Amino acid sequence: MSKVLIVEDEPKLAELMAAYLEQAGYEHHHIDRGDQVVDYLKNNQADLMLLDLMLPGLDGVEVCKQVRQFSGMPIIMVTAKAEEIDRLIGLEMGADDYVCKPFSPREIVARVKANLRRVELDQTEAPKTDGFDLDADRLRATYKGELIDLTTVEFQLLQLLIKEPGRVFGRDMIMKSIYTDSRVVSDRTIDSHIKKLRKKIAAVAPELNVIHSVYGAGYRFENND
């Protein structure tokens, strides 16, 4: 089930959007301040964000710019300011779509569906990044045709990191994404999986350095060679 983050400071409007999204089969979470969004997304998973332009704490354009530094998730900007310049600013800052108030809640749901469908179509082919080829159906990973012998957890970890190159994934985010059965896992367990994954990649391609530690934050996939 896809999860939508609603960033809206009008409670009644947020409740209305949440009700229609829930009816359409989506999970949702509501935040009413712009300055709380980045911290939430760095520690929790969301598949799409409905982002109001005028927010307390931090406006929607700035929120969009900051989120784009670590996430490629679809962002639909929602605002009562319909001037063309605002449309351009919103889309240039990295938004995927734009909805002007007043709007029908059904329109919001339709836009959410359309943007999530686009992402699904983009991911239809097995992800290929810097020579890596991941087959999720068979839990099989290769680098330039060479098989990387991974466990299920190691495959899921590589898949998580590789789908958004450059994004920093915190240990909490990794735990929630990989261990969906809510088992208790320590930071050391994640660090151990990272160490083993690096070792197995190095066995196939000793010259590669693609999984980087970010001090105090987590890990990211990026080929700096």
Side-chain angles (χ1 to χ4, degrees), residues 8-213:
E8 171 60 63
D9 62 335
E10 297 181 37
K12 289 185 178 179
L13 183 55
E15 289 175 9
L16 184 63
M17 288 192 287
Y20 272 78
L21 288 168
E22 189 170 324
Q23 189 176 35
Y26 296 106
E27 292 184 13
H28 54 81
H29 180 79
H30 174 224
I31 294 177
D32 60 6
R33 293 183 58 88
D35 53 3
Q36 297 175 354
V37 174
V38 169
D39 184 61
Y40 176 83
L41 287 176
K42 285 187 174 180
N43 292 283
N44 298 273
Q45 183 66 36
D47 300 292
L48 180 145
M49 176 164 57
L50 289 169
L51 176 63
D52 190 26
L53 185 60
M54 304 299 292
L55 292 164
L58 199 65
D59 68 70
V61 170
E62 189 60 33
V63 171
C64 189
K65 288 168 61 178
Q66 292 187 12
V67 170
R68 278 291 173 258
Q69 293 177 10
F70 64 88
S71 175
M73 69 184 297
I75 298 175
I76 301 176
M77 299 198 75
V78 182
T79 182
K81 300 178 68 176
E83 294 84 355
E84 187 63 20
I85 185 63
D86 283 333
R87 291 179 185 272
L88 293 174
I89 289 174
L91 295 174
E92 286 175 0
M93 291 305 106
D96 297 272
D97 205 348
Y98 203 101
V99 179
C100 294
K101 301 175 184 177
F103 53 79
S104 161
R106 291 186 177 87
E107 180 187 2
I108 287 287
V109 173
R111 296 290 185 93
V112 168
K113 286 182 177 179
N115 279 273
L116 288 175
R117 189 180 303 119
R118 174 183 56 78
V119 172
E120 289 174 4
L121 290 173
D122 290 344
Q123 296 177 345
T124 298
E125 294 185 358
K128 296 180 180 179
T129 305
D130 294 322
F132 286 90
D133 190 346
L134 305 187
D135 184 341
D137 291 331
R138 295 190 292 170
L139 297 177
R140 188 174 186 272
T142 61
Y143 177 73
K144 294 184 177 180
E146 291 290 327
L147 180 65
I148 307 171
D149 187 16
L150 303 178
T151 65
T152 299
V153 170
E154 290 162 356
F155 179 90
Q156 292 173 333
L157 178 54
L158 178 59
Q159 185 179 45
L160 176 69
L161 295 172
I162 208 172
K163 71 178 181 181
E164 292 189 61
R167 175 177 179 176
V168 177
F169 287 87
R171 291 175 177 82
D172 286 344
M173 171 74 81
I174 293 173
M175 290 178 197
K176 291 176 182 177
S177 298
I178 294 177
Y179 295 100
T180 56
D181 57 359
S182 301
R183 75 181 73 175
V184 177
V185 178
S186 69
D187 287 357
R188 287 186 177 182
T189 301
I190 300 300
D191 294 341
S192 175
H193 288 313
I194 289 286
K195 184 177 180 180
K196 292 175 182 176
L197 179 57
R198 283 172 170 161
K199 186 176 181 180
K200 290 182 177 181
I201 291 174
V204 173
E207 75 284 0
L208 276 189
N209 178 28
V210 293
I211 299 178
H212 302 270
S213 301

